[in-house]
Amino acid sequence: MDDSQKWLEAAAGIEQDLEYLKSALTPEDLKQLRLALALYHQNAASDVPWPSPDDLYCIQPPAPGPRQRVTVETRPRMAV
């Protein structure tokens, strides 16, 4: 399975979560899931490499105020 397919498969899981949980989540939680969904679709279309299993995929939403870009990064998991 290529990286784009992995992003699309993960996006499909988020779509299922949104549908299942939409009555139980706050509007802010729904907004965060929709942001992740949009980024996963964007990553699939842009051929972004799928993160290593040892990395955390981090999505930082923009701060309130003038329109800012969403930041995305990976970072190594910390040992527990």
Side-chain angles (χ1 to χ4, degrees):
M1 179 183 316
D2 68 12
D3 289 339
S4 293
Q5 186 60 37
K6 289 177 185 176
W7 286 115
L8 291 173
E9 196 169 294
I14 292 173
E15 288 172 330
Q16 289 176 340
D17 291 346
L18 278 167
E19 188 60 33
Y20 179 74
L21 296 171
K22 68 181 171 186
S23 63
L25 295 175
T26 67
E28 187 60 31
D29 292 333
L30 289 171
K31 182 179 177 182
Q32 297 296 327
L33 280 174
R34 287 187 181 109
L35 175 64
L37 179 61
L39 284 171
Y40 280 35
H41 280 287
Q42 180 180 326
N43 288 350
S46 303
D47 294 324
V48 172
W50 185 255
S52 162
D54 294 330
D55 291 340
L56 295 173
Y57 184 71
C58 307
I59 301 171
Q60 184 65 34
R67 190 168 179 103
Q68 296 180 7
R69 193 179 143 104
V70 175
T71 59
V72 180
E73 60 185 63
T74 58
R75 65 174 190 237
R77 291 181 192 261
M78 297 188 64
V80 179

